[in-house]
PDB file of all heavy atoms in Angstrom:
ATOM      1  N   MET A1180     -18.097-113.120 -49.955  1.00 97.00           N
ATOM      2  CA  MET A1180     -17.965-114.321 -50.730  1.00 97.00           C
ATOM      3  C   MET A1180     -17.863-113.959 -52.233  1.00 97.00           C
ATOM      4  O   MET A1180     -17.112-114.626 -53.011  1.00 97.00           O
ATOM      5  CB  MET A1180     -19.189-115.302 -50.547  1.00 97.00           C
ATOM      6  CG  MET A1180     -19.120-115.991 -49.203  1.00 97.00           C
ATOM      7  SD  MET A1180     -20.353-117.336 -49.092  1.00 97.00           S
ATOM      8  CE  MET A1180     -21.891-116.413 -48.977  1.00 97.00           C
ATOM      9  N   LEU A1181     -18.543-112.944 -52.686  1.00 97.00           N
ATOM     10  CA  LEU A1181     -18.458-112.462 -54.030  1.00 97.00           C
ATOM     11  C   LEU A1181     -17.071-111.910 -54.296  1.00 97.00           C
ATOM     12  O   LEU A1181     -16.506-112.062 -55.390  1.00 97.00           O
ATOM     13  CB  LEU A1181     -19.527-111.446 -54.365  1.00 97.00           C
ATOM     14  CG  LEU A1181     -19.536-110.799 -55.719  1.00 97.00           C
ATOM     15  CD1 LEU A1181     -19.563-111.874 -56.861  1.00 97.00           C
ATOM     16  CD2 LEU A1181     -20.705-109.850 -55.856  1.00 97.00           C
ATOM     17  N   ALA A1182     -16.527-111.179 -53.306  1.00 95.00           N
ATOM     18  CA  ALA A1182     -15.267-110.506 -53.425  1.00 95.00           C
ATOM     19  C   ALA A1182     -14.093-111.535 -53.350  1.00 95.00           C
ATOM     20  O   ALA A1182     -12.945-111.193 -53.695  1.00 95.00           O
ATOM     21  CB  ALA A1182     -15.087-109.463 -52.321  1.00 95.00           C
ATOM     22  N   GLY A1183     -14.346-112.736 -52.794  1.00 95.00           N
ATOM     23  CA  GLY A1183     -13.286-113.719 -52.642  1.00 95.00           C
ATOM     24  C   GLY A1183     -12.578-113.610 -51.296  1.00 95.00           C
ATOM     25  O   GLY A1183     -11.541-114.177 -51.036  1.00 95.00           O
ATOM     26  N   LEU A1184     -13.231-112.844 -50.359  1.00 94.00           N
ATOM     27  CA  LEU A1184     -12.623-112.685 -49.008  1.00 94.00           C
ATOM     28  C   LEU A1184     -13.165-113.682 -47.996  1.00 94.00           C
ATOM     29  O   LEU A1184     -12.715-113.764 -46.866  1.00 94.00           O
ATOM     30  CB  LEU A1184     -12.920-111.273 -48.514  1.00 94.00           C
ATOM     31  CG  LEU A1184     -12.367-110.107 -49.405  1.00 94.00           C
ATOM     32  CD1 LEU A1184     -12.806-108.755 -48.812  1.00 94.00           C
ATOM     33  CD2 LEU A1184     -10.834-110.221 -49.540  1.00 94.00           C
ATOM     34  N   GLU A1185     -14.231-114.422 -48.392  1.00 95.00           N
ATOM     35  CA  GLU A1185     -14.797-115.534 -47.595  1.00 95.00           C
ATOM     36  C   GLU A1185     -14.899-116.689 -48.487  1.00 95.00           C
ATOM     37  O   GLU A1185     -15.337-116.542 -49.666  1.00 95.00           O
ATOM     38  CB  GLU A1185     -16.160-115.138 -47.062  1.00 95.00           C
ATOM     39  CG  GLU A1185     -16.157-114.106 -45.896  1.00 95.00           C
ATOM     40  CD  GLU A1185     -15.742-114.670 -44.591  1.00 95.00           C
ATOM     41  OE1 GLU A1185     -15.583-115.911 -44.498  1.00 95.00           O
ATOM     42  OE2 GLU A1185     -15.590-113.917 -43.667  1.00 95.00           O
ATOM     43  N   PRO A1186     -14.600-117.956 -47.987  1.00 95.00           N
ATOM     44  CA  PRO A1186     -14.812-119.098 -48.804  1.00 95.00           C
ATOM     45  C   PRO A1186     -16.280-119.495 -48.997  1.00 95.00           C
ATOM     46  O   PRO A1186     -17.117-119.067 -48.148  1.00 95.00           O
ATOM     47  CB  PRO A1186     -14.068-120.205 -48.012  1.00 95.00           C
ATOM     48  CG  PRO A1186     -14.137-119.731 -46.555  1.00 95.00           C
ATOM     49  CD  PRO A1186     -14.035-118.226 -46.688  1.00 95.00           C
ATOM     50  N   VAL A1187     -16.595-120.145 -50.048  1.00 96.00           N
ATOM     51  CA  VAL A1187     -17.939-120.647 -50.262  1.00 96.00           C
ATOM     52  C   VAL A1187     -17.959-122.106 -49.901  1.00 96.00           C
ATOM     53  O   VAL A1187     -17.244-122.914 -50.493  1.00 96.00           O
ATOM     54  CB  VAL A1187     -18.288-120.460 -51.782  1.00 96.00           C
ATOM     55  CG1 VAL A1187     -19.689-121.087 -52.061  1.00 96.00           C
ATOM     56  CG2 VAL A1187     -18.353-119.006 -52.145  1.00 96.00           C
ATOM     57  N   ASP A1188     -18.763-122.438 -48.886  1.00 95.00           N
ATOM     58  CA  ASP A1188     -18.786-123.825 -48.400  1.00 95.00           C
ATOM     59  C   ASP A1188     -19.729-124.710 -49.223  1.00 95.00           C
ATOM     60  O   ASP A1188     -19.499-125.970 -49.385  1.00 95.00           O
ATOM     61  CB  ASP A1188     -19.219-123.871 -46.902  1.00 95.00           C
ATOM     62  CG  ASP A1188     -18.200-123.190 -46.030  1.00 95.00           C
ATOM     63  OD1 ASP A1188     -17.012-123.530 -46.157  1.00 95.00           O
ATOM     64  OD2 ASP A1188     -18.597-122.252 -45.378  1.00 95.00           O
ATOM     65  N   GLU A1189     -20.780-124.141 -49.739  1.00 96.00           N
ATOM     66  CA  GLU A1189     -21.724-124.872 -50.599  1.00 96.00           C
ATOM     67  C   GLU A1189     -22.269-123.972 -51.700  1.00 96.00           C
ATOM     68  O   GLU A1189     -22.290-122.739 -51.526  1.00 96.00           O
ATOM     69  CB  GLU A1189     -22.938-125.328 -49.744  1.00 96.00           C
ATOM     70  CG  GLU A1189     -22.606-126.353 -48.623  1.00 96.00           C
ATOM     71  CD  GLU A1189     -23.806-126.632 -47.762  1.00 96.00           C
ATOM     72  OE1 GLU A1189     -24.896-125.951 -47.956  1.00 96.00           O
ATOM     73  OE2 GLU A1189     -23.672-127.535 -46.878  1.00 96.00           O
ATOM     74  N   GLY A1190     -22.564-124.531 -52.844  1.00 97.00           N
ATOM     75  CA  GLY A1190     -23.082-123.760 -53.983  1.00 97.00           C
ATOM     76  C   GLY A1190     -22.010-123.115 -54.796  1.00 97.00           C
ATOM     77  O   GLY A1190     -20.839-123.471 -54.694  1.00 97.00           O
ATOM     78  N   ASP A1191     -22.383-122.119 -55.552  1.00 97.00           N
ATOM     79  CA  ASP A1191     -21.439-121.531 -56.511  1.00 97.00           C
ATOM     80  C   ASP A1191     -21.748-120.043 -56.644  1.00 97.00           C
ATOM     81  O   ASP A1191     -22.915-119.614 -56.526  1.00 97.00           O
ATOM     82  CB  ASP A1191     -21.574-122.197 -57.895  1.00 97.00           C
ATOM     83  CG  ASP A1191     -20.375-122.001 -58.755  1.00 97.00           C
ATOM     84  OD1 ASP A1191     -19.456-121.372 -58.370  1.00 97.00           O
ATOM     85  OD2 ASP A1191     -20.377-122.544 -59.896  1.00 97.00           O
ATOM     86  N   VAL A1192     -20.694-119.229 -56.963  1.00 97.00           N
ATOM     87  CA  VAL A1192     -20.824-117.869 -57.260  1.00 97.00           C
ATOM     88  C   VAL A1192     -20.286-117.592 -58.657  1.00 97.00           C
ATOM     89  O   VAL A1192     -19.130-118.028 -58.943  1.00 97.00           O
ATOM     90  CB  VAL A1192     -20.047-116.989 -56.239  1.00 97.00           C
ATOM     91  CG1 VAL A1192     -20.121-115.511 -56.604  1.00 97.00           C
ATOM     92  CG2 VAL A1192     -20.607-117.194 -54.835  1.00 97.00           C
ATOM     93  N   LEU A1193     -21.046-116.975 -59.519  1.00 97.00           N
ATOM     94  CA  LEU A1193     -20.627-116.784 -60.870  1.00 97.00           C
ATOM     95  C   LEU A1193     -20.684-115.262 -61.268  1.00 97.00           C
ATOM     96  O   LEU A1193     -21.518-114.561 -60.866  1.00 97.00           O
ATOM     97  CB  LEU A1193     -21.579-117.565 -61.801  1.00 97.00           C
ATOM     98  CG  LEU A1193     -21.693-119.059 -61.560  1.00 97.00           C
ATOM     99  CD1 LEU A1193     -22.912-119.401 -60.757  1.00 97.00           C
ATOM    100  CD2 LEU A1193     -21.770-119.808 -62.911  1.00 97.00           C
ATOM    101  N   ILE A1194     -19.706-114.872 -62.062  1.00 96.00           N
ATOM    102  CA  ILE A1194     -19.685-113.578 -62.684  1.00 96.00           C
ATOM    103  C   ILE A1194     -19.723-113.770 -64.203  1.00 96.00           C
ATOM    104  O   ILE A1194     -18.867-114.433 -64.708  1.00 96.00           O
ATOM    105  CB  ILE A1194     -18.455-112.744 -62.263  1.00 96.00           C
ATOM    106  CG1 ILE A1194     -18.483-112.468 -60.779  1.00 96.00           C
ATOM    107  CG2 ILE A1194     -18.434-111.455 -63.012  1.00 96.00           C
ATOM    108  CD1 ILE A1194     -17.295-111.699 -60.232  1.00 96.00           C
ATOM    109  N   ASP A1195     -20.756-113.231 -64.835  1.00 95.00           N
ATOM    110  CA  ASP A1195     -20.934-113.481 -66.284  1.00 95.00           C
ATOM    111  C   ASP A1195     -20.996-114.969 -66.624  1.00 95.00           C
ATOM    112  O   ASP A1195     -20.453-115.371 -67.630  1.00 95.00           O
ATOM    113  CB  ASP A1195     -19.822-112.741 -67.119  1.00 95.00           C
ATOM    114  CG  ASP A1195     -20.276-111.391 -67.543  1.00 95.00           C
ATOM    115  OD1 ASP A1195     -21.493-111.063 -67.459  1.00 95.00           O
ATOM    116  OD2 ASP A1195     -19.408-110.603 -67.968  1.00 95.00           O
ATOM    117  N   GLY A1196     -21.610-115.763 -65.736  1.00 94.00           N
ATOM    118  CA  GLY A1196     -21.813-117.176 -66.007  1.00 94.00           C
ATOM    119  C   GLY A1196     -20.552-118.030 -65.724  1.00 94.00           C
ATOM    120  O   GLY A1196     -20.579-119.259 -65.826  1.00 94.00           O
ATOM    121  N   ARG A1197     -19.461-117.381 -65.274  1.00 95.00           N
ATOM    122  CA  ARG A1197     -18.264-118.129 -64.922  1.00 95.00           C
ATOM    123  C   ARG A1197     -18.067-118.212 -63.466  1.00 95.00           C
ATOM    124  O   ARG A1197     -18.095-117.210 -62.781  1.00 95.00           O
ATOM    125  CB  ARG A1197     -17.051-117.415 -65.619  1.00 95.00           C
ATOM    126  CG  ARG A1197     -15.705-118.039 -65.262  1.00 95.00           C
ATOM    127  CD  ARG A1197     -14.591-117.126 -65.679  1.00 95.00           C
ATOM    128  NE  ARG A1197     -13.266-117.628 -65.232  1.00 95.00           N
ATOM    129  CZ  ARG A1197     -12.181-116.857 -65.104  1.00 95.00           C
ATOM    130  NH1 ARG A1197     -12.314-115.607 -65.322  1.00 95.00           N
ATOM    131  NH2 ARG A1197     -11.042-117.389 -64.705  1.00 95.00           N
ATOM    132  N   SER A1198     -17.787-119.422 -62.932  1.00 96.00           N
ATOM    133  CA  SER A1198     -17.598-119.617 -61.552  1.00 96.00           C
ATOM    134  C   SER A1198     -16.329-118.914 -61.083  1.00 96.00           C
ATOM    135  O   SER A1198     -15.268-119.026 -61.771  1.00 96.00           O
ATOM    136  CB  SER A1198     -17.557-121.123 -61.175  1.00 96.00           C
ATOM    137  OG  SER A1198     -17.191-121.285 -59.844  1.00 96.00           O
ATOM    138  N   VAL A1199     -16.434-118.182 -59.963  1.00 96.00           N
ATOM    139  CA  VAL A1199     -15.246-117.480 -59.429  1.00 96.00           C
ATOM    140  C   VAL A1199     -14.850-118.141 -58.092  1.00 96.00           C
ATOM    141  O   VAL A1199     -13.901-117.633 -57.465  1.00 96.00           O
ATOM    142  CB  VAL A1199     -15.507-115.982 -59.272  1.00 96.00           C
ATOM    143  CG1 VAL A1199     -15.714-115.319 -60.615  1.00 96.00           C
ATOM    144  CG2 VAL A1199     -16.679-115.747 -58.315  1.00 96.00           C
ATOM    145  N   VAL A1200     -15.499-119.205 -57.692  1.00 95.00           N
ATOM    146  CA  VAL A1200     -15.124-119.877 -56.438  1.00 95.00           C
ATOM    147  C   VAL A1200     -13.687-120.418 -56.623  1.00 95.00           C
ATOM    148  O   VAL A1200     -13.362-121.138 -57.584  1.00 95.00           O
ATOM    149  CB  VAL A1200     -16.080-121.014 -56.159  1.00 95.00           C
ATOM    150  CG1 VAL A1200     -15.590-121.815 -54.960  1.00 95.00           C
ATOM    151  CG2 VAL A1200     -17.479-120.457 -55.810  1.00 95.00           C
ATOM    152  N   GLY A1201     -12.835-120.080 -55.745  1.00 90.00           N
ATOM    153  CA  GLY A1201     -11.430-120.515 -55.866  1.00 90.00           C
ATOM    154  C   GLY A1201     -10.534-119.496 -56.479  1.00 90.00           C
ATOM    155  O   GLY A1201      -9.321-119.604 -56.349  1.00 90.00           O
ATOM    156  N   LEU A1202     -11.109-118.533 -57.188  1.00 94.00           N
ATOM    157  CA  LEU A1202     -10.285-117.431 -57.749  1.00 94.00           C
ATOM    158  C   LEU A1202      -9.832-116.486 -56.711  1.00 94.00           C
ATOM    159  O   LEU A1202     -10.623-116.167 -55.781  1.00 94.00           O
ATOM    160  CB  LEU A1202     -11.033-116.725 -58.832  1.00 94.00           C
ATOM    161  CG  LEU A1202     -11.220-117.347 -60.215  1.00 94.00           C
ATOM    162  CD1 LEU A1202     -11.933-116.341 -61.153  1.00 94.00           C
ATOM    163  CD2 LEU A1202      -9.839-117.672 -60.830  1.00 94.00           C
ATOM    164  N   ALA A1203      -8.625-116.010 -56.856  1.00 93.00           N
ATOM    165  CA  ALA A1203      -8.161-114.945 -55.930  1.00 93.00           C
ATOM    166  C   ALA A1203      -8.874-113.692 -56.123  1.00 93.00           C
ATOM    167  O   ALA A1203      -9.443-113.445 -57.249  1.00 93.00           O
ATOM    168  CB  ALA A1203      -6.649-114.676 -56.187  1.00 93.00           C
ATOM    169  N   PRO A1204      -9.059-112.842 -55.108  1.00 92.00           N
ATOM    170  CA  PRO A1204      -9.821-111.599 -55.267  1.00 92.00           C
ATOM    171  C   PRO A1204      -9.371-110.767 -56.409  1.00 92.00           C
ATOM    172  O   PRO A1204     -10.184-110.188 -57.101  1.00 92.00           O
ATOM    173  CB  PRO A1204      -9.623-110.874 -53.898  1.00 92.00           C
ATOM    174  CG  PRO A1204      -9.380-111.984 -52.912  1.00 92.00           C
ATOM    175  CD  PRO A1204      -8.669-113.065 -53.668  1.00 92.00           C
ATOM    176  N   ARG A1205      -8.091-110.632 -56.674  1.00 88.00           N
ATOM    177  CA  ARG A1205      -7.506-109.774 -57.716  1.00 88.00           C
ATOM    178  C   ARG A1205      -7.909-110.260 -59.124  1.00 88.00           C
ATOM    179  O   ARG A1205      -7.854-109.570 -60.089  1.00 88.00           O
ATOM    180  CB  ARG A1205      -6.059-109.656 -57.527  1.00 88.00           C
ATOM    181  CG  ARG A1205      -5.246-110.886 -57.724  1.00 88.00           C
ATOM    182  CD  ARG A1205      -3.782-110.670 -57.623  1.00 88.00           C
ATOM    183  NE  ARG A1205      -3.013-111.924 -57.744  1.00 88.00           N
ATOM    184  CZ  ARG A1205      -2.731-112.711 -56.753  1.00 88.00           C
ATOM    185  NH1 ARG A1205      -3.170-112.416 -55.497  1.00 88.00           N
ATOM    186  NH2 ARG A1205      -2.035-113.818 -56.951  1.00 88.00           N
ATOM    187  N   ALA A1206      -8.296-111.553 -59.186  1.00 91.00           N
ATOM    188  CA  ALA A1206      -8.586-112.182 -60.510  1.00 91.00           C
ATOM    189  C   ALA A1206     -10.072-112.057 -60.791  1.00 91.00           C
ATOM    190  O   ALA A1206     -10.489-112.535 -61.876  1.00 91.00           O
ATOM    191  CB  ALA A1206      -8.153-113.658 -60.471  1.00 91.00           C
ATOM    192  N   ARG A1207     -10.850-111.432 -59.961  1.00 93.00           N
ATOM    193  CA  ARG A1207     -12.327-111.430 -60.160  1.00 93.00           C
ATOM    194  C   ARG A1207     -12.807-110.185 -60.810  1.00 93.00           C
ATOM    195  O   ARG A1207     -13.957-110.010 -61.163  1.00 93.00           O
ATOM    196  CB  ARG A1207     -13.024-111.600 -58.782  1.00 93.00           C
ATOM    197  CG  ARG A1207     -12.646-112.894 -58.107  1.00 93.00           C
ATOM    198  CD  ARG A1207     -13.542-113.141 -56.854  1.00 93.00           C
ATOM    199  NE  ARG A1207     -13.160-114.432 -56.289  1.00 93.00           N
ATOM    200  CZ  ARG A1207     -13.913-115.133 -55.483  1.00 93.00           C
ATOM    201  NH1 ARG A1207     -15.124-114.697 -55.209  1.00 93.00           N
ATOM    202  NH2 ARG A1207     -13.536-116.302 -54.951  1.00 93.00           N
TER     203      ARG A1207
END
């Protein structure tokens, strides 16, 4: 889910305080 290879169904994943949910793996 952190890598972007699995969708996040609930909640949020953030890198440096920025949500990466919906971002392509290469953009993370």
Side-chain angles (χ1 to χ4, degrees):
M1180 287 192 289
L1181 176 57
L1184 302 177
E1185 289 282 353
V1187 175
D1188 296 306
E1189 297 173 355
D1191 203 358
V1192 177
L1193 304 95
I1194 297 178
D1195 267 346
R1197 176 193 174 202
S1198 176
V1199 295
V1200 173
L1202 280 183
R1205 64 178 179 273
R1207 300 188 181 203

